Amino acid sequence: MSGNSLGKLFRVTNWGESHGKAIGVVVDGCPSLLELSEKDIQKELDRRIPGQSKITTQRKEKDKVEILSGIFNGKTTGTPISMIIYNKDFRKEDYKKLTKALRSSHADFTYEKKYGIRNPYGGGRSSARLTAGNVAAGAIAKKILKEKLNTEIIAYTKRIKDIEAVVDTGKVKEKYVEASIVRCPDHKKSEEMEALVEETAKKGDSVGGIIECVARNIPPGLGEPIFDKLDADLAKAMMDINAVKGFEIGSGFSAAGMYGTAHNDPFIMEAGKIRTKTNNSGGVQGGISNGMPIILRVAFKPTATIQKQKAIDMKGNDIKLGAGRHDPCVVPRAVPIVEAMAALVLCDHYLRFKALGGKDGN
Ligand SMILES: Cc1cc2nc3c(=O)[nH]c(=O)nc-3n(C[C@H](O)[C@H](O)[C@H](O)COP(=O)(O)O)c2cc1C
């Protein structure tokens, strides 16, 4: 009802504010007997932390997760798993001017109008800091999918501004992504992107980009038409990420410029299994996975915080602001967030598929 939870069987509830005491997440519906430790969660959180490279915000948060419940003797008990991350590096004085400011393209005005009250420090509840809880929950979802289906979910920077990488979705590996500080597995384009982000930061500006995500080893049958189609739920989860402005799956918007002869994905029999020769569908047909890799793309806007931020107060008076600490391009840090959101949706649909009698390795 209040928009703080995602998923039906694997249900995640996110809580906290950017500069409150702590942030966290409750995962309800995780199957019992899954081996799980804070280490499993921490490795994903470490990929999202601020201050991880010269091109990310210099806010220093270690994002150390503590699991408060739902685990006994290293295994999940089938009861709610509550996870907490304490906020450490908050400087309220940095934000004094912000308490009244309606900053361009931030969520200050909409939160003010909707709730009549808001915690303004660091963007409060609207801050991307809240995605840390989702990444923690996503680490559990990833682990379930890996153990049950050998699923691999890999996201990477496909584009920053107009620099676009060439990536083979069948071959891309996490280690190639993590080798690049902009998280682009195309080495040459990665260097160009890095230079562009640095140059943009020096100018006090910001840039946008696109993340592509591939999920391999997803069986046919995940997705619940009519209103919980797999592609619809993926789109929703991706649009829930801060700064996202667009979503596409498979051929996406390019489908609008194609002929059916080029776009259709013909079925073929290969090694005793039916698959499609091409994958313009992006692994989903009729809202249900077809066993092909799921391929999606998410577009991010340029970071709203720039050197010369324009702001007014609720009475219309101009407010002068400095830029504070921010990411000149949010895309590299959003890569693990996209993977986590994909994992949450796929895990929820996998559990729903099993509940309706679906068989693994279909
Ligand atoms: C990883 C990540 C980091 C972000 N960091 C910033 C930031 O430093 N400054 C900023 O203005 N926006 C940042 N954003 C985006 C804002 O949270 C977002 O634009 C704002 O809350 C308004 O929401 P909307 O863009 O979804 O409409 C970040 C987004 C992500 C995914």
Side-chain angles (χ1 to χ4, degrees), residues 79-347:
T79 58
I81 302 169
S82 185
M83 294 184 275
I84 189 165
I85 299 163
Y86 287 98
N87 291 324
K88 300 255 159 66
D89 183 15
F90 52 87
R91 306 182 194 162
K92 283 199 174 154
E93 62 280 12
D94 282 3
Y95 292 95
K96 274 221 172 91
K97 273 195 198 163
L98 287 188
T99 55
K100 291 196 175 75
L102 307 177
R103 296 164 299 162
S104 317
S105 294
H106 285 81
D108 308 326
F109 176 72
T110 48
Y111 269 62
E112 190 73 46
K113 284 304 251 188
K114 180 172 173 67
Y115 301 106
I117 184 169
R118 70 195 161 95
N119 177 340
Y121 298 114
R125 183 79 179 138
S126 75
S127 166
R129 175 140 187 77
L130 277 302
T131 60
N134 302 342
V135 169
I140 302 178
K142 261 191 180 180
K143 192 158 191 204
I144 295 170
L145 291 167
K146 182 79 189 161
E147 289 195 3
K148 303 286 183 193
L149 302 169
N150 198 26
T151 298
E152 284 180 308
I153 302 174
I154 301 173
Y156 44 86
T157 302
K158 172 77 178 164
R159 186 170 139 182
I160 292 184
K161 201 165 177 287
D162 33 29
I163 304 169
E164 184 153 334
V166 180
V167 183
D168 182 338
T169 55
K171 292 194 181 139
V172 64
K173 289 198 171 99
E174 189 183 301
K175 65 176 180 189
Y176 304 142
V177 178
E178 292 305 303
S180 150
I181 66 168
V182 288
R183 293 210 160 92
C184 173
D186 175 336
H187 186 64
K188 191 170 166 295
K189 296 292 174 184
S190 163
E191 285 178 353
E192 288 176 33
M193 289 174 183
E194 195 183 314
L196 176 69
V197 175
E198 280 194 84
E199 189 190 308
T200 305
K202 272 191 205 133
K203 285 188 203 150
D205 210 339
S206 61
V207 268
I210 294 177
I211 291 177
E212 189 165 69
C213 179
V214 53
R216 299 189 283 245
N217 295 334
I218 295 292
L222 272 57
E224 309 287 330
I226 289 176
F227 295 117
D228 293 348
K229 291 180 176 177
L230 189 61
D231 41 358
D233 280 358
L234 285 166
K236 183 196 167 353
M238 296 304 158
M239 293 298 296
D240 280 337
I241 302 173
N242 309 50
V244 169
K245 284 285 157 201
F247 170 85
E248 43 174 51
I249 186 157
S251 54
F253 276 78
S254 75
M258 291 172 80
Y259 286 111
T261 41
H263 192 271
N264 281 357
D265 293 323
F267 286 107
I268 53 170
M269 181 67 90
E270 202 177 70
K273 276 195 173 176
I274 289 182
R275 49 162 287 168
T276 63
K277 204 169 165 190
T278 50
N279 190 14
N280 285 312
S281 305
V284 182
Q285 291 167 330
I288 302 172
S289 61
N290 66 0
M292 294 296 287
I294 291 178
I295 297 168
L296 57 87
R297 282 170 295 280
V298 190
F300 288 79
K301 73 183 192 186
T303 321
T305 310
I306 49 174
Q307 198 71 48
K308 289 187 184 132
Q309 280 197 90
K310 288 211 164 86
I312 60 168
D313 64 17
M314 286 299 270
K315 291 186 181 127
N317 304 308
D318 286 334
I319 297 186
K320 278 216 168 65
L321 295 171
R325 296 169 293 176
H326 69 286
D327 287 291
C329 178
V330 304
V331 172
R333 283 184 59 220
V335 164
I337 305 171
V338 166
E339 287 181 9
M341 297 310 279
L344 293 179
V345 172
L346 292 169
C347 182

